[in-house]
Amino acid sequence: EVQLLDSGGGSAQPGGSLRLSCAASGFTFNSHAMSWVRQAPGKGLEWVSGISGSGGGTYYADSVKGRFTISRDNSKNTLFLQMDSLRAEDTAVYYCAKVHSSDWYDYMDVWGKGTTVTVSS
Amino acid sequence: EIVMTQSPATLSVSPGERATLSCRASQSVTSNLVWYQQKRGQAPRLLIYGASTRATGIPARFSGSGSGTAFTLTISSLQSEDFAVYFCLQYNNWPHTFGQGTKLEIK
């Protein structure tokens, strides 16, 4: 069974940092691109970032470019999202999601349960 | 960026009846569209990919149709567990963009 376990959320002040992790199991991790998607309170879903299966290609929404860094450790089947220069508008539930194929451009087929990030002074 | 517009925002339907949800794209996304179901406090669950193909384990009462800019998710006979929020997502263009969701509630 495919499982994704997101963690690392919490509270941070504006300008602060957090690092999210996503432990994956039940599939060949390095054969699949991965994504992060967020959902602000009472709002819809927003794709945040994606990474290819090898980790060689990374992609970001304009809203987080230059502040967030996606990475992966294929030896540990783990996905990361380093979030720096946090803003109040980054407050959301963050989901890691498995992409259907190795192509980061493909759709997400399995999602983690999400981890909550709150940015407030 | 492609804008995805879902309608209606809220749909009230009685159990056993049919529900039809709409998703429109601001420009063609060919058939690169998926539908997700999200229940309160849970992660989204993939229902339909490629606009019309049911994901593994999804009951036959869920069907998707459309291509280009207009898409429909139909639930043929609503069960109690189907009352949730439904999102569409286009993955034809970067960045991927979601519709704002349709809340399906019990009438």
Side-chain angles (χ1 to χ4, degrees):
Chain A
E1 178 190 4
V2 174
Q3 289 193 327
L4 300 172
L5 184 59
D6 330 78
S7 62
S11 296
Q13 293 191 333
S17 298
L18 283 173
R19 190 190 197 204
L20 307 184
S21 299
C22 174
S25 61
F27 64 102
T28 304
F29 187 64
N30 61 12
S31 293
H32 290 267
M34 298 290 292
S35 290
W36 288 99
V37 178
R38 68 185 180 184
Q39 187 170 34
K43 299 292 181 64
L45 296 159
E46 178 189 17
W47 177 85
V48 171
S49 183
I51 187 169
S52 63
S54 67
T58 58
Y59 311 88
Y60 300 93
D62 286 345
S63 57
V64 306
K65 196 176 297 181
R67 301 188 298 120
F68 289 11
T69 304
I70 190 171
S71 62
R72 62 193 296 161
D73 183 340
N74 284 346
S75 69
K76 296 183 178 178
N77 290 357
T78 304
L79 175 72
F80 302 100
L81 186 67
Q82 177 67 41
M83 304 187 296
D84 299 319
S85 302
L86 283 164
R87 304 168 179 169
E89 54 265 36
D90 295 320
T91 295
V93 176
Y94 284 74
Y95 297 98
C96 74
K98 169 182 166 287
V99 176
H100 177 67
S101 69
S102 60
D103 178 6
W104 74 273
Y105 219 74
D106 210 343
Y107 62 91
M108 291 80 75
D109 59 1
V110 179
W111 299 54
K113 294 186 184 298
T115 186
T116 300
V117 171
T118 303
V119 183
S120 172
S121 55
Chain B
E1 172 174 314
I2 294 178
V3 177
M4 305 300 292
T5 303
Q6 290 186 244
S7 62
T10 303
L11 182 61
S12 299
V13 183
S14 299
E17 293 188 341
R18 174 188 297 259
T20 303
L21 289 67
S22 174
C23 176
R24 288 189 174 272
S26 60
Q27 64 188 74
S28 177
V29 298
T30 64
S31 294
N32 291 326
L33 182 115
V34 299
W35 289 94
Y36 298 102
Q37 175 194 69
Q38 187 178 32
K39 297 181 180 179
R40 185 180 297 275
Q42 297 185 17
R45 172 194 182 198
L46 177 68
L47 298 175
I48 302 287
Y49 63 92
S52 60
T53 303
R54 275 191 304 278
T56 302
I58 301 303
R61 64 180 182 272
F62 291 90
S63 63
S65 63
S67 65
T69 62
F71 301 88
T72 300
L73 174 69
T74 302
I75 311 170
S76 60
S77 177
L78 280 164
Q79 306 296 303
S80 57
E81 62 265 30
D82 300 336
F83 293 96
V85 179
Y86 292 82
F87 292 96
C88 60
L89 163 75
Q90 70 80 17
Y91 57 101
N92 193 69
N93 288 59
W94 181 88
H96 295 180
T97 46
F98 293 86
Q100 78 280 18
T102 290
K103 181 181 180 180
L104 183 56
E105 62 178 28
I106 300 174
K107 187 174 182 180

